[in-house]
């Protein structure tokens, strides 16, 4: 059967089928691209979460090391002070012995 454009119905059906197939392929490509973009976005979120976790872990480690270093410094300062006081006590006891040697026995 011929239409008013002089084309055969089979040719028109073939052109319509080809156009529909092309559209379906374009939709598949667009859907595939959208899925790929979504996967890429998900991967970026996962990578960002991992970076944040590593950054927070490093920050926790640095804070703990800072506290440990501060405690060690305080411990060393206390040890130094204890050593100084022990020397002062020894010196004062020695001075006390010398003074008692010269004082009368009632003191």
């Amino acid at each position: 059967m011929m239409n008013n454009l002089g084309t055969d119905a089979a040719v028109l059906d073939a052109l319509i089928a080809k156009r529909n197939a092309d559209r379906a392929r374009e939709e598949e490509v667009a859907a595939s691209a959208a899925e790929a973009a979504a996967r890429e976005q998900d991967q970026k979120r996962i990578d960002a979460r991992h970076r944040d976790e590593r950054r927070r872990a490093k920050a926790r480690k640095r804070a703990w090391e800072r506290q440990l270093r501060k405690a060690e410094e305080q411990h060393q300062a206390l040890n130094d002070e204890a050593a100084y006081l022990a020397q002062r006590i020894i010196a004062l006891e020695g001075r006390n012995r010398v003074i008692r040697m010269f004082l009368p026995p009632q003191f």
Side-chain angles (χ1 to χ4, degrees):
M1 176 175 161
M2 297 285 278
N3 62 12
N4 59 358
L5 295 176
T7 56
D8 202 33
V11 172
L12 282 177
D13 288 342
L15 287 174
I16 291 171
K18 183 179 181 312
R19 187 186 66 195
N20 289 343
D22 288 345
R23 283 185 185 164
R25 222 171 301 130
E26 288 173 2
E27 288 175 2
E28 287 176 12
V29 168
S32 177
E35 288 175 10
R39 279 193 304 272
E40 183 179 342
Q41 202 60 15
D42 288 343
Q43 189 61 46
K44 285 181 181 180
R45 279 191 213 105
I46 290 169
D47 292 344
R49 197 174 321 127
H50 288 177
R51 276 193 310 275
D52 289 345
E53 288 172 6
R54 284 191 301 272
R55 183 182 45 78
R56 283 191 297 270
K58 284 181 182 180
R60 282 191 304 271
K61 180 182 176 186
R62 283 191 303 267
W64 186 85
E65 288 173 344
R66 201 170 33 251
Q67 287 178 340
L68 180 61
R69 191 171 45 255
K70 186 176 178 181
E72 288 172 344
E73 289 169 359
Q74 288 175 343
H75 180 70
Q76 185 60 45
L78 290 174
N79 281 345
D80 293 346
E81 188 175 349
Y84 170 75
L85 291 175
Q87 289 175 350
R88 289 291 298 147
I89 289 170
I90 291 170
L92 291 173
E93 286 176 348
R95 194 180 305 163
N96 192 16
R97 272 194 302 267
V98 170
I99 292 172
R100 286 185 188 221
M101 285 176 25
F102 294 108
L103 287 177
Q106 71 250 27
F107 287 104

